[in-house]
């Protein structure tokens, strides 16, 4: 499954003792649920910050089911219960499992935290159809949002964002994906 192989493993979130994930494109919460599930299995506290410019309704979120353990399913049901009908303010959910915040903002306009993330999931639609979040100024903001040693993962190996990630200061590598696809990992070097 792409969420596990691409986002969790390439960012090494599946090993991190106290992961802080920043995601561009919270979407249907698939990556969130996969990350939550692994963190629950390992008993580690998860902090997850998602940016989503075009949030879907609770009904759409609920329609996309995933097999989850009972503790992770409970968190997901709490999310569904609290998901706002008209999202304006950030949505927050917190418990012994960790903390989720979804900011209903266009990431191109958003203020990101500084030096916060241990992992960055860059998961908007493709650079061709959804070019805005792949622009150099956004990728540079992601660099500053990352801690030293943090990794960004994305499914697109398109040349322009790849060069912009390198120009922002990331060490960028293409890695084999599923099937014939390649994926991208970008690491913010330790200072
Ligand atoms: C491929 S989907 C994300 C899937 C999601 N990561 C998941 O696990 O379900 C891409 C998402 O990026 C969001 N998006 C596109 N442009 C954006 C922007 N400028 N700022 C924030 N979110 C954006 C879209 O609304 C869409 O929900």
């Amino acid at each position: 499954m792409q969420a596990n192989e691409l986002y969790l493993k390439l960012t090494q979130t599946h090993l991190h003792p106290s992961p802080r994930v920043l995601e561009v494109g919270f979407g249907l919460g698939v990556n969130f649920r996969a990350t939550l599930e692994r963190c629950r299995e390992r008993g580690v506290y998860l902090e997850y910050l998602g940016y989503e410019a075009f949030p879907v309704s609770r009904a759409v979120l609920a329609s996309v089911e995933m097999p989850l353990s009972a503790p992770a399913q409970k968190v997901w049901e709490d999310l569904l219960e609290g998901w706002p009908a008209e999202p304006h303010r950030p949505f927050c959910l917190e418990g012994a499992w960790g903390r989720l915040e979804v900011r209903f903002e266009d990431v191109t306009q958003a203020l990101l935290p500084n030096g916060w993330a241990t992992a960055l999931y860059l998961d908007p639609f493709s650079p061709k159809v959804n070019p805005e979040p792949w622009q150099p100024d956004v990728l540079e903001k992601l660099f500053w949002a990352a801690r030293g040693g943090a990794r960004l993962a994305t499914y697109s190996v398109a040349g322009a964002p790849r060069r912009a990630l390198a120009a922002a200061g990331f060490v960028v590598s293409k890695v084999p994906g599923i099937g014939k696809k390649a994926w991208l990992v970008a690491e913010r070097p330790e200072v």
Side-chain angles (χ1 to χ4, degrees), residues 3 7 23-33 48 51-56 103 105-109 121 123-126 130 132-133 155:
Y7 293 106
E23 178 171 51
V24 178
F26 182 80
L28 300 168
V30 171
N31 293 339
F32 168 67
R33 280 178 275 177
Y48 202 101
Y51 287 86
E52 178 50 63
F54 310 104
V56 296
R103 297 184 183 168
E105 294 178 46
D106 179 338
V107 74
T108 65
Q109 307 299 316
Y121 299 174
D123 195 19
F125 297 119
S126 74
N130 184 199
E132 301 81 8
Y155 64 88

Side-chain angles (χ1 to χ4, degrees), residues 102-120:
V102 184
R103 297 184 183 168
F104 302 112
E105 294 178 46
D106 179 338
V107 74
T108 65
Q109 307 299 316
L111 272 182
L112 307 189
N114 196 19
W116 180 82
T118 62
L120 300 154

